[in-house]
């Protein structure tokens, strides 16, 4: 019998399956992977995917908060596709895994503004 938590038959996915999922740009280059994501406590809405990008062999990767609305799941790739270049990511808001920022409204506006989006909260 198949474990229902691991089936891919619906639009829902378990959080542990999102973490580690590859992220590609529109040109098909692998940018990194989702290290985790940030969920708004009251609404349950996902605000950001934290993209682990940079470093060497997984060491020194920074976390880049990407507004969740920018990600599109591609079943052929088995990962998310985002319309970003590596150059744009290198200048994007980021933090190290052990020093996360305060994800307050000011920081949210900074992240959304960088990507040319309106901060909806």
């Amino acid at each position: 019998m198949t474990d229902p938590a691991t089936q891919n038959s619906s639009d829902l996915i378990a959080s542990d399956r999102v973490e580690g999922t590859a992220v590609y740009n529109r040109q098909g280059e692998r940018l990194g992977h989702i290290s985790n994501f940030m969920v708004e406590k009251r609404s349950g809405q996902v605000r950001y995917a934290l993209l682990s990008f940079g470093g060497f062999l997984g060491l020194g990767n920074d976390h880049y908060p990407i507004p969740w609305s920018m990600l599109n799941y591609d079943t052929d790739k088995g990962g998310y596709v985002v319309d970003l270049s590596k150059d744009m990511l290198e200048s994007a808001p980021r933090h190290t895994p052990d020093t996360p920022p305060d994800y307050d409204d000011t920081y949210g506006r900074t992240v959304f503004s960088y990507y040319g989006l309106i901060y909806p909260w």
Side-chain angles (χ1 to χ4, degrees), residues 33-91:
H33 67 274
I34 294 177
S35 59
N36 54 31
F37 52 92
M38 305 297 290
V39 178
E40 205 278 321
K41 290 178 184 178
R42 290 182 184 94
S43 72
Q45 184 175 10
V46 177
R47 287 198 188 178
Y48 308 99
L50 295 184
L51 173 65
S52 180
F53 170 74
F56 180 70
L57 297 176
L59 301 174
N61 286 346
D62 283 339
H63 288 179
Y64 295 75
I66 306 292
W68 188 259
S69 61
M70 292 180 63
L71 297 170
N72 294 298
Y73 190 76
D74 184 320
T75 54
D76 292 334
K77 287 186 175 20
Y80 293 96
V81 176
V82 64
D83 195 15
L84 294 174
S85 67
K86 287 183 179 181
D87 290 339
M88 187 168 189
L89 266 179
E90 288 173 354
S91 300

